[in-house]
Amino acid sequence: MTIRLENVGIAVRDLDATIAFFTDLGLTVLGTDEVSGEWADTAVGLDGNHAKIAVLQTPDGQGQIELFEYIHPDAIETEPTLPNEIGMHRIAFAVDDIEESLAIAATHGHYPLRGVANYQDVYKLTYLRGPSGILVMFAQDLTKS
């Protein structure tokens, strides 16, 4: 059996703001749509499922995220995930310049949880809260600079 990761899906409060955040970081919108109907109810397991969606791709063409903003049923607000909670944790990006990435995130009002760490002079990395409280990790490989 062959298996490969298709994408990571993330429910968001504001699709346009979230697209702006990720495209400013360098991802490309592959497509947007509005989905509903019996097939969407069946696939997702929600009656009356109706959402606006967007699929974005990383510049290397290897990673994709699918963002969705629910129209129906109403989105359920939850507390932002903490780094030590069980379940879906974070989305991580390898970046060439962590300071540039953080500057872009700051233009959207998103900042590191604590600061930028240096892991054994191999990586600089940090977590920040992105749109809708998404935990986002930036990691810069210091061995490639």
Side-chain angles (χ1 to χ4, degrees):
M1 179 181 91
T2 301
I3 188 169
R4 82 178 164 81
L5 181 65
E6 177 66 22
N7 65 50
V8 174
I10 305 170
V12 300
R13 285 183 201 95
D14 183 332
L15 186 63
D16 293 333
T18 308
I19 289 170
F21 174 79
F22 285 116
T23 56
D24 282 356
L25 288 170
L27 280 74
T28 303
V29 176
L30 295 181
T32 61
D33 202 358
E34 197 167 301
V35 297
S36 64
E38 185 178 335
W39 75 268
D41 293 2
T42 300
V44 176
L46 289 173
D47 291 332
N49 182 34
H50 186 186
K52 296 188 294 183
I53 66 169
V55 177
L56 287 76
Q57 185 169 34
T58 56
D60 65 359
Q62 300 299 307
Q64 292 183 7
I65 58 175
E66 181 178 335
L67 305 172
F68 36 95
E69 179 183 334
Y70 275 93
I71 297 167
H72 186 270
D74 290 338
I76 299 169
E77 287 290 336
T78 60
E79 293 296 317
T81 303
L82 297 174
N84 62 333
E85 288 181 342
I86 302 298
M88 190 66 176
H89 193 253
R90 56 145 171 80
I91 185 166
F93 294 101
V95 297
D96 293 334
D97 184 335
I98 199 165
E99 297 304 327
E100 180 183 358
S101 299
L102 287 171
I104 292 167
T107 67
H108 294 269
H110 305 293
Y111 303 93
L113 298 181
R114 184 164 293 166
V116 177
N118 182 314
Y119 176 71
Q120 300 182 358
D121 291 327
V122 176
Y123 284 100
K124 278 186 180 179
L125 42 91
T126 191
Y127 278 28
L128 60 95
R129 288 249 177 248
S132 299
I134 301 165
L135 273 175
V136 177
M137 184 182 91
F138 293 146
Q140 178 182 342
D141 186 341
L142 298 174
T143 65
K144 293 184 179 179
S145 53

